[in-house]
Amino acid sequence: MQIIARLYALSKRNVILRYKNSLVGFLWGFIKPLIYLLIFIVIFSAQFITVSNYVLYVTSGLIFWFFFSNLTAQSVQNIISSAGLIKAVRMPLILLPLSELLSELFNFLLTLMVYFVVMYWFGMQYSARLFLLLPCIVLFSCFSFGITLVLSSVNVFLRDVGILWNTIQPALFYLTPIAYPASMIPERFVFIIRYNPIYYFIQLVRTVLYESSALSWTIWIQCATLAMLSLSVGLFLFHKLKNQFIAAI
Amino acid sequence: MQQYKMEMNDKLILVENLALSYWHNNVGVHSVKDLLTLRKNPFTLKPILHDVSFELDKGQSLGILGRNGSGKSTLLRAIAGIIKPQKGRVVVNGSIAPILAIGAGLELELTGFENIKLLLALYGQSKNMAEQINDICIFSELSHEVLNMAAKCYSAGMLARLAFSISLANDCDILIIDEVLAVGDKGFQEKCVQKIYELKSLGKTIIFVSHFPDEVEKLCDKALLLENGTIINQGNVNTICNQYRQLF
Ligand SMILES: Nc1ncnc2c1ncn2[C@@H]1O[C@H](COP(=O)(O)OP(=O)(O)OP(=O)(O)O)[C@@H](O)[C@H]1O
Ligand SMILES: [Mg+2]
């Protein structure tokens, strides 16, 4: 019970801090993908006429990408910026990244609701299949949380990690087939996609939101494996390092 | 730490052979070479506390004295369970109020009220939240206007008032004070000292870090003197305070 109250209070703090002195606040969650979408439509849509319903293709990828990118970018600094709390309050430290996940999930769900309406115009079909989005979100959250744990705990000791992550994030974005179809990549570079875990999750989301072909088990199993792997590595590292956080902040 | 609870009933706090070290980061721009050649481990362990042992009975108050950097704040954090010791053990037989240090735990970007709610939730509440917020407002003597301001706009004394009032909001057996009284104005200092005496007369234990031996002599039954992370002497307050005065 107390854990829930603590998580709620911490998540609320994150939300307040994030949108402090911001004019549109939550709407940023909606506007960010929209801006990218417009840019892509202007630049790319003539290029990729092979993709049927390009707008829906891009949107479904973008909103999930931004969940991942917002979460990781914000929580890289999470432990460091909570130095005051860590030094004063006795609490399970895992609550800090967890609260970051919760507040970003909250933000994401609001965004998703808006896009549920918008995507109808783009040609998304309302059907029972959309409920599969729920396990998608759970798996993607586990995966992102694992990455978050690694980034936020290692960044305490080596600040290069935060800088490095912010630098490679755009590269990661363009290495993931979000704005372009995966089939466009030349044969000899396909391995890049194959080793990009985010690609699998974007693919999974698209089987629910974009495609209407039969569901395949393989992609679900791949994503579940990735999620478990990332989560266990993250938890392991975090627990190894957490006792020394206080020495470095 | 909690699992030892049953073992001892008369002792309130028992610290045994406590040793604590911090990772010291050697990574810097000039040491990238060391990192690459792996000639030097980028992290070394820097001992902060070693072989610290003491005990405290119920209702007793403890003063901790020592030079700057002797490890007093670190010891307090170990007692409060914020840092896990590498060696030895810390047994506490009661609830500990949040450590009182200047601006402890306050989030400077949040307003006073938001801070109060956040910290009360994190510390765990023993009473009704609205009631506690009201108590905090009254004790801190900060107006609603001030409490609606971001904490970064507070003066040092206002921060101390807020931190002090929040830490006192819960009923706890042990109160830990880390040289916080110095910044409040005269009125608030007297109010705090009075409150501390009131809590002491209620049978609560106070662990008091201060650089003013006179205050320690007034408030504490026992004292210990830290030097470079070890206890060089402990016992009677007057002896320890005199020894502390002779350090300088
Ligand atoms: N994050 C850290 N990393 C490495 N060493 C640290 C860290 N924090 C504190 N220390 C070292 O630990 C020792 C004790 O620090 P501590 O804050 O406990 O001192 P203190 O007795 O409270 O001093 P003061 O009277 O100034 O408050 C100091 O030598 C300090 O250099
Ligand atoms: Mg100190």
Side-chain angles (χ1 to χ4, degrees):
Chain A
M1 216 36 236
Q2 208 205 337
I3 292 277
I4 293 171
R6 283 169 156 184
L7 258 182
Y8 174 75
L10 283 171
S11 309
K12 201 168 146 197
R13 172 196 74 143
N14 296 340
V15 171
I16 294 175
L17 286 180
R18 188 174 311 167
Y19 295 119
K20 195 114 207 171
N21 300 335
S22 139
L23 216 52
V24 289
F26 269 121
L27 283 180
W28 274 118
F30 168 71
I31 296 171
K32 255 165 124 178
L34 195 63
I35 292 174
Y36 271 72
L37 181 63
L38 291 178
I39 295 174
F40 289 151
I41 288 176
V42 171
I43 306 177
F44 291 140
S45 65
Q47 221 73 43
F48 302 132
I49 25 175
T50 45
V51 182
S52 67
N53 200 348
Y54 182 70
V55 178
L56 184 62
Y57 180 84
V58 173
T59 318
S60 56
L62 273 180
I63 47 179
F64 275 79
W65 166 265
F66 273 110
F67 167 68
F68 177 75
S69 112
N70 288 344
L71 176 62
T72 49
Q74 252 132 29
S75 44
V76 154
Q77 299 296 335
N78 175 267
I79 302 287
I80 298 168
S81 60
S82 306
L85 282 181
I86 294 176
K87 285 180 184 170
V89 185
R90 173 180 163 192
M91 61 177 166
L93 291 179
I94 193 97
L95 291 184
L96 290 168
L98 203 55
S99 73
E100 207 62 70
L101 173 69
L102 283 189
S103 52
E104 189 51 46
L105 260 181
F106 177 63
N107 200 2
F108 171 72
L109 290 180
L110 286 183
T111 309
L112 199 62
M113 274 198 284
V114 177
Y115 275 100
F116 254 34
V117 178
V118 179
M119 281 195 287
Y120 179 70
W121 290 327
F122 300 163
M124 185 185 72
Q125 262 122 42
Y126 290 133
S127 72
R129 189 172 176 147
L130 288 183
F131 282 106
L132 283 177
L133 216 48
L134 222 61
C136 275
I137 294 173
V138 171
L139 286 182
F140 196 41
S141 299
C142 289
F143 172 77
S144 311
F145 187 53
I147 304 278
T148 299
L149 288 176
V150 174
L151 289 174
S152 62
S153 56
V154 176
N155 192 41
V156 173
F157 304 102
L158 295 170
R159 306 279 154 118
D160 317 54
V161 171
I163 302 169
L164 186 67
W165 182 251
N166 286 335
T167 316
I168 63 170
Q169 234 194 25
L172 200 58
F173 176 74
Y174 287 106
L175 287 178
T176 312
I178 292 172
Y180 55 88
S183 57
M184 201 196 77
I185 295 173
E187 194 66 49
R188 62 207 158 100
F189 290 129
V190 166
F191 71 93
I192 297 181
I193 290 200
R194 201 164 305 135
Y195 291 117
N196 177 357
I198 299 161
Y199 165 70
Y200 294 93
F201 287 96
I202 299 289
Q203 208 55 25
L204 180 69
V205 170
R206 288 208 173 116
T207 62
V208 176
L209 280 182
Y210 172 74
E211 287 163 21
S212 47
S213 55
L215 293 162
S216 94
W217 275 110
T218 32
I219 187 89
W220 285 95
I221 292 168
Q222 281 164 338
C223 285
T225 317
L226 282 171
M228 286 308 118
L229 202 68
S230 145
L231 196 59
S232 36
V233 170
L235 286 174
F236 174 78
L237 252 180
F238 193 84
H239 283 285
K240 275 274 166 212
L241 297 177
K242 66 176 178 184
N243 285 335
Q244 287 295 343
F245 283 167
I246 206 160
I249 49 180
Chain B
M1 250 170 272
Q2 305 290 333
Q3 59 261 41
Y4 299 113
K5 256 188 168 172
M6 297 290 112
E7 248 174 65
M8 26 166 284
N9 293 317
D10 45 337
K11 296 275 177 286
L12 187 65
I13 296 176
L14 177 76
V15 174
E16 257 179 16
N17 303 91
L18 176 81
L20 208 155
S21 31
Y22 278 162
W23 284 0
H24 188 68
N25 192 344
N26 295 326
V27 182
V29 181
H30 46 270
S31 69
V32 170
K33 205 179 82 202
D34 296 328
L35 192 66
L36 289 180
T37 54
L38 285 178
R39 240 182 301 147
K40 212 160 98 189
N41 187 339
F43 292 96
T44 43
L45 275 179
K46 174 184 172 200
I48 307 290
L49 294 175
H50 30 101
D51 212 21
V52 171
S53 310
F54 68 89
E55 49 185 53
L56 203 60
D57 291 328
K58 282 210 171 83
Q60 269 190 330
S61 288
L62 176 74
I64 301 178
L65 294 160
R67 291 176 200 271
N68 288 136
S70 53
K72 303 181 295 296
S73 302
T74 312
L75 177 59
L76 292 186
R77 291 203 184 107
I79 296 171
I82 294 169
I83 315 178
K84 252 211 208 139
Q86 265 95 20
K87 272 196 229 117
R89 58 176 197 164
V90 178
V91 187
V92 176
N93 254 335
S95 54
I96 302 185
I99 291 191
L100 240 160
I102 297 167
L106 294 178
E107 190 77 63
L108 293 181
E109 289 287 331
L110 295 181
T111 67
F113 277 123
E114 284 162 354
N115 266 306
I116 295 175
K117 282 180 202 156
L118 173 65
L119 287 178
L120 284 182
L122 290 181
Y123 291 147
Q125 294 151 254
S126 54
K127 289 182 257 173
N128 173 286
M129 173 89 99
E131 211 175 289
Q132 276 182 316
I133 294 179
N134 196 28
D135 288 348
I136 290 172
C137 292
I138 293 172
F139 189 80
S140 66
E141 295 168 359
L142 296 172
S143 65
H144 279 238
E145 193 194 339
V146 170
L147 286 174
N148 275 320
M149 247 163 39
K152 64 182 170 192
C153 309
Y154 283 25
S155 68
M158 281 150 105
L159 281 177
R161 278 168 183 257
L162 187 61
F164 198 97
S165 319
I166 296 175
S167 314
L168 289 179
N170 278 333
D171 275 332
C172 290
D173 307 324
I174 302 160
L175 186 64
I176 300 181
I177 303 172
D178 193 354
E179 42 182 333
V180 73
L181 297 180
V183 279
D185 55 29
K186 186 132 185 66
F188 193 66
Q189 267 183 34
E190 274 164 15
K191 192 171 177 175
C192 290
V193 171
Q194 208 181 338
K195 181 80 186 175
I196 292 171
Y197 277 113
E198 185 192 319
L199 290 172
K200 197 167 144 60
S201 69
L202 288 174
K204 315 243 170 195
T205 285
I206 290 151
I207 301 181
F208 188 51
V209 169
S210 172
H211 290 295
F212 300 103
D214 300 344
E215 281 183 10
V216 175
E217 270 174 339
K218 266 191 273 173
L219 196 69
C220 302
D221 312 301
K222 239 178 114 170
L224 54 86
L225 187 59
L226 274 182
E227 182 79 47
N228 286 331
T230 40
I231 297 181
I232 51 173
N233 202 354
Q234 60 174 314
N236 182 279
V237 208
N238 298 330
T239 338
I240 302 292
C241 285
N242 282 331
Q243 198 175 351
Y244 176 72
R245 288 189 188 101
Q246 277 155 19
L247 280 181
F248 304 99

